[in-house]
Amino acid sequence: MSDITKVIFGMRAIGKISAEDYAYWAGEMLVQNYDSTSLRILAGLNRRDSIFEAQDYFLRAMKELDLEEPEPDEAVREYAREAAQQIINGQIEPQQGVRALYQICVTTEYPKELMIWYELDDALDCLIARGYPYTYETATLENFDSIVKEEAKRFVANIEEAQKEA
């Protein structure tokens, strides 16, 4: 399954998705040589189009492409893993990645495996306000990005280990 598809499933699982997100997914899928009538229509929609229309074409495209959506917990886990991997790969800035993973944590009601992102987000807020980062006491503005990258590596490794055990 493509990384963009993992992301779209995660966004759907946490209920944070727009018509623009669906259209972007469809465009990326076309670039990756997936093709179907509904996928092409969906790629042509814009952010002002109805979320319901976009979702309908998304579901049709899924059927046409014979893609199966994972259970919500799995979708969220893969979405979070993909965000952490983007931090590691330098595709998104560590602070931006922390904010995104924090949002996933909050939206999914603070699961234990995502709490590190809540703590890092809180620490970042404290550091920016020139306060003490109680939730991650070793963090400073100077070392924050490297801490985030190390936590992202640990997070991805933990998910991969859990998948091997399952």
Side-chain angles (χ1 to χ4, degrees):
M1 179 183 314
S2 70
D3 293 340
I4 190 71
T5 300
K6 291 176 185 176
V7 169
I8 205 81
F9 287 154
M11 293 171 79
R12 284 175 50 82
I14 65 172
K16 300 279 185 182
I17 193 160
S18 67
E20 184 176 17
D21 295 324
Y22 283 124
Y24 178 79
W25 170 81
E28 288 298 310
M29 293 294 284
L30 289 168
V31 168
Q32 294 176 25
N33 294 320
Y34 290 87
D35 195 17
S36 81
T37 301
S38 296
L39 190 66
R40 288 178 186 205
I41 293 169
L42 182 56
L45 297 181
N46 67 50
R47 63 187 176 100
R48 292 189 184 103
D49 286 319
S50 163
I51 184 69
F52 302 109
E53 180 181 17
Q55 182 173 299
D56 182 53
Y57 281 113
F58 172 78
L59 295 172
R60 289 180 192 189
M62 293 276 300
K63 187 175 279 187
E64 293 166 1
L65 297 171
D66 198 29
L67 295 174
E68 193 170 316
E69 192 162 8
E71 293 296 318
D73 287 347
E74 182 184 343
V76 170
R77 187 173 30 261
E78 282 301 311
Y79 180 37
R81 188 201 60 75
E82 181 59 28
Q85 191 63 55
Q86 288 179 349
I87 293 169
I88 295 165
N89 295 344
Q91 294 168 289
I92 58 174
E93 294 296 318
Q95 292 182 16
Q96 180 186 1
V98 165
R99 298 287 192 209
L101 286 158
Y102 160 81
Q103 287 297 323
I104 295 169
C105 177
V106 170
T107 303
T108 56
E109 299 180 3
Y110 310 94
K112 182 180 176 185
E113 64 270 10
L114 292 172
M115 283 303 292
I116 187 62
W117 306 110
Y118 179 87
E119 293 165 2
L120 284 168
D121 184 75
D122 187 65
L124 178 59
D125 287 343
C126 289
L127 291 169
I128 290 171
R130 300 183 190 257
Y132 185 76
Y134 290 100
T135 57
Y136 207 104
E137 295 185 347
T138 59
T140 65
L141 284 175
E142 292 75 29
N143 71 4
F144 190 80
D145 288 357
S146 61
I147 286 173
V148 170
K149 286 182 180 183
E150 287 305 311
E151 290 294 352
K153 288 176 186 174
R154 194 173 359 263
F155 181 76
V156 168
N158 288 343
I159 289 175
E160 290 172 355
E161 185 63 32
Q163 287 173 335
K164 287 178 188 174
E165 293 173 4

